Amino acid sequence: MNNTQHSDKSNLQILFEDNHLIVINKRVGDIVQGDKTGDDPLSEVVKQNLKEKYNKPGKVYLGVVHRLDRPTSGIVLFAKTSKALPRLNKMFAQGETKKIYWAVVKNIPPQESGTLTHWLVRNPKQNKSYANAKEVPNSKRAELDYKVIKKLDNYFLLEIDLKTGRHHQIRAQLAAIGCTIKGDLKYGADRSNKDGGIHLHARSLTIIHPVKKEPITFLAPPPEDPVWNACISE
């Protein structure tokens, strides 16, 4: 990952925080949980931030509820209490959350809006998922709704309402209809983005607050770059 500014405890983009939750706008290149690279995961960065901010002695509790791919940006929610974590885990597992993503693609989809349903097979060696039109062995059903919400000079901005949460789901499904995400070499883009990321952003997340039991929606501004800036300009 070249010239990206990773999140650290001083530049963390905190979108929301209360006693039970903390919501971060993840930068491209941040990993949510530790992996074989040995890079500092976002979960540790958030813990460092909380430890310093509240002068906490000992270990800081932080529960990882869900993940975002490393080259993706946007909303990541963490649980700050052991009371909130199992409730949030259950919500995500049962599909009781609403996740909206933005994706910038080179080609316009065959229809301007629609539902995509595929059966995805994950290849752990390649860290890639393959989309099939029909059910095949070891496949998981993947569904999303999409619509074109903006036409840029060379790209199209899609809004995606994710119905299932599969490995690389949006990337694989969009590639399967000829709409590879900008910068996503793994799924067929012709060139990478300078920062090693892809133009896929977790734009909003709606949950039922695990303690207050009220619906709450978080919204994350996309990263600063000319293409994203064009997406949000009037």
Side-chain angles (χ1 to χ4, degrees):
M1 291 282 173
N2 50 353
N3 74 26
T4 26
Q5 188 189 19
H6 293 285
S7 296
D8 59 42
K9 64 187 178 191
S10 60
N11 71 7
L12 207 53
Q13 301 180 65
I14 299 170
L15 299 170
F16 175 87
E17 186 185 351
D18 67 8
N19 290 336
H20 298 280
L21 311 173
I22 184 164
V23 181
I24 306 296
N25 190 6
K26 173 180 128 41
R27 290 178 168 87
V28 162
D30 289 342
I31 45 170
V32 176
Q33 257 186 318
D35 68 0
K36 60 179 183 290
T37 61
D39 293 343
D40 249 1
L42 197 55
S43 53
E44 285 305 313
V45 174
V46 175
K47 280 183 190 175
Q48 290 162 11
N49 173 280
L50 294 172
K51 192 174 173 66
E52 286 193 9
K53 189 161 45 178
Y54 301 112
N55 294 319
K56 284 188 180 245
K59 283 190 168 176
V60 174
Y61 181 90
L62 194 75
V64 176
V65 181
H66 64 127
R67 292 166 192 73
L68 280 186
D69 297 345
R70 187 164 194 165
T72 307
S73 58
I75 291 175
V76 181
L77 164 75
F78 295 100
K80 284 173 63 181
T81 61
S82 53
K83 185 178 181 180
L85 181 64
R87 294 176 185 183
L88 290 166
N89 281 340
K90 190 176 169 194
M91 231 177 279
F92 275 79
Q94 296 180 347
E96 292 162 2
T97 58
K98 188 172 174 70
K99 299 181 219 169
I100 300 293
Y101 285 76
W102 278 3
V104 175
V105 298
K106 186 90 180 166
N107 301 324
I108 194 163
Q111 279 88 35
E112 294 232 342
S113 65
T115 300
L116 300 182
T117 306
H118 291 95
W119 276 263
L120 297 191
V121 178
R122 181 175 182 172
N123 181 324
K125 259 201 182 115
Q126 294 178 310
N127 188 30
K128 190 172 174 179
S129 286
Y130 291 86
N132 299 276
K134 297 191 180 78
E135 195 167 1
V136 297
N138 304 319
S139 63
K140 289 184 174 173
R141 189 175 174 281
E143 187 185 328
L144 61 80
D145 293 341
Y146 73 88
K147 60 183 178 209
V148 178
I149 57 170
K150 189 150 191 177
K151 295 176 182 179
L152 308 171
D153 292 343
N154 300 306
Y155 300 100
F156 299 91
L157 174 62
L158 307 185
E159 185 169 276
I160 288 147
D161 183 348
L162 198 59
K163 301 299 185 190
T164 52
R166 306 296 183 206
H167 175 258
H168 289 184
Q169 177 179 339
I170 298 172
R171 299 165 66 180
Q173 287 198 275
L174 289 180
I177 62 162
C179 298
T180 297
I181 294 167
K182 181 180 182 307
D184 199 355
L185 290 180
K186 182 165 277 195
Y187 287 93
D190 49 8
R191 61 171 186 255
S192 59
N193 290 341
K194 277 200 190 91
D195 61 6
I198 63 174
H199 275 73
L200 178 62
H201 178 70
R203 173 67 173 160
S204 81
L205 173 66
T206 303
I207 61 163
I208 303 296
H209 192 286
V211 179
K212 294 176 184 159
K213 305 296 186 202
E214 294 158 353
I216 181 166
T217 297
F218 312 108
L219 192 67
E224 280 280 323
D225 79 23
V227 174
W228 282 127
N229 292 348
C231 290
I232 51 178
S233 66
E234 287 309 314

